[in-house]
Amino acid sequence: MVPDHHRSIVALGGGHGLSAALTALRLLTDSVTAVVTVADDGGSSGRLREEFDVLPPGDLRMALSALCDDSDWGHTWRDVLQHRFSGEGDLAGHALGNLMIVSIWELLGDTVKGLDLVGRLLGARGRVLPMAGEPLQIVAEIRGHDPERPDETIEVRGQHRVASSPGIVSSIGILPTCPTPCQEAIDAVARADWVMLGPGSWFTSVMPHLLVPDLADALVATKARRLLNLNLEVHKGETRDFRAEDHLASFAGNAPDLRLDYVLADPSVVPDVPALRVAAAKLGAELVVAPVEARRHPGVHDPLRLAAALRDVIA
């Protein structure tokens, strides 16, 4: 595929889902901006966030790695960033890239400039920005969080606890409710030709972007086309027992003023095409059903198939 050097695409999400999207998008354009969730509080990111009072670097690191230059240099530095220490010492479990990013933040005193510097080191084909200027906390109402009281709904705080809960999420929020905006991310959304949400953990990687007021306003106001890329396993994890239509209802509930242009879904998650088409139309969107799943790895996006499906929509 020959990339369109002038088409600007902003991808919003976090974790492995955003990495899959960026790996595909970089085949379509050199102008990709990732706007990444900053609510992670588990693992290496959580430890660094708590100790140094910084944005959790893990999802930002993964996005940068996905955009690395397709060369020995880019691949080497990608592997360096992704290297995780083993053993039982103080460094055990830390990703080297997380430590590097936090170190650069301390040296420069500027989060965005630090991420841009790491991007230059990787030869990144795009830019990575946080969705807010301060770390966020996920707050969810979850029914059945305590298995011994399956019918009780309680408030659960923290991305890791929400993502690993055995219960059913009924609502999602963030603290602080009006966080410091990342102006560069807002500007990127305003200038974009296309904005893409998902795939990714629905309540902890995708929906939080819609809850940051300044970012949500930018998504409503932008002249860009808006595309929602549904997950390959819509009924598992945080969205246990969901249907694809339930994702769209959840989207509308969290962002009632935000309209979509397209909803992209793999055939495996659309047992009822007419029903999903109606649900998409309620958001102003056209449904596009196209194979994007890796043939030998269920639940995993194939970068080339996803890029082909996105190319057809964007074209």
Side-chain angles (χ1 to χ4, degrees):
M1 298 181 188
V2 178
D4 182 335
H5 300 287
H6 303 293
R7 181 179 288 121
S8 174
I9 302 177
V10 174
L12 298 92
H16 294 287
L18 178 60
S19 293
L22 296 175
T23 303
L25 288 173
R26 53 176 288 176
L27 300 174
L28 304 180
T29 179
D30 288 334
S31 183
V32 180
T33 300
V35 178
V36 185
T37 181
V38 288
D40 191 6
D41 59 359
S44 171
S45 286
R47 291 159 62 188
L48 292 169
R49 167 181 173 164
E50 181 176 356
E51 184 172 352
F52 295 100
D53 191 27
V54 294
L55 297 179
D59 285 354
L60 296 161
R61 180 200 82 246
M62 291 177 64
L64 284 162
S65 297
L67 290 174
C68 75
D69 185 52
D70 193 18
S71 64
D72 287 343
W73 176 273
H75 292 172
T76 297
W77 277 108
R78 175 200 61 196
D79 294 343
V80 168
L81 255 65
Q82 296 287 60
H83 174 75
R84 196 173 293 274
F85 292 100
S86 57
E88 299 179 357
D90 292 339
L91 290 178
H94 275 304
L96 178 57
N98 290 353
L99 302 176
M100 182 186 298
I101 289 169
V102 173
S103 299
I104 292 173
W105 284 344
E106 285 199 340
L107 286 170
L108 297 184
D110 188 302
T111 299
V112 172
K113 288 183 179 178
L115 294 171
D116 286 342
L117 180 59
V118 178
R120 291 201 298 273
L121 181 65
L122 287 161
R125 296 178 62 178
R127 196 180 192 195
V128 173
L129 299 168
M131 73 174 181
E134 60 184 303
L136 304 180
Q137 184 180 48
I138 300 292
V139 181
E141 295 289 328
I142 302 181
R143 178 171 57 84
H145 178 71
D146 183 349
E148 296 184 358
R149 293 176 290 179
D151 296 324
E152 182 177 337
T153 298
I154 64 172
E155 181 181 273
V156 178
R157 296 193 175 194
Q159 178 173 319
H160 178 69
R161 293 186 69 213
V162 172
S164 59
S165 174
I168 304 296
V169 176
S170 56
S171 68
I172 196 78
I174 58 169
L175 291 175
T177 55
C178 294
T180 304
C182 174
Q183 189 59 48
E184 292 84 353
I186 293 169
D187 292 343
V189 170
R191 293 192 304 265
D193 297 309
W194 283 82
V195 172
M196 175 171 147
L197 295 105
S201 300
W202 187 250
F203 288 114
T204 55
S205 290
V206 180
M207 288 297 96
H209 291 78
L210 307 181
L211 305 177
V212 177
D214 295 275
L215 183 56
D217 289 344
L219 289 168
V220 171
T222 183
K223 295 181 180 178
R225 298 272 185 106
R226 306 172 189 88
L227 181 147
L228 176 63
N229 188 2
L230 289 179
N231 291 332
L232 292 172
E233 296 180 330
V234 295
H235 62 290
K236 294 184 179 180
E238 299 171 359
T239 51
R240 191 174 298 104
D241 299 328
F242 266 43
R243 303 166 302 163
E245 299 94 300
D246 297 324
H247 283 72
L248 300 190
S250 171
F251 184 96
N254 283 288
D257 297 326
L258 181 58
R259 309 299 286 171
L260 294 172
D261 294 284
Y262 293 93
V263 172
L264 175 62
D266 187 85
S268 64
V269 303
V270 193
D272 189 341
V273 173
L276 188 57
R277 182 172 289 116
V278 169
K282 290 179 180 178
L283 295 171
E286 177 183 340
L287 174 64
V288 177
V289 180
V292 295
E293 187 175 39
R295 290 185 175 89
R296 297 183 181 180
H297 300 282
V300 176
H301 282 85
D302 181 286
L304 289 176
R305 298 181 99 187
L306 178 57
L310 292 172
R311 177 198 59 196
D312 291 345
V313 172
I314 291 171

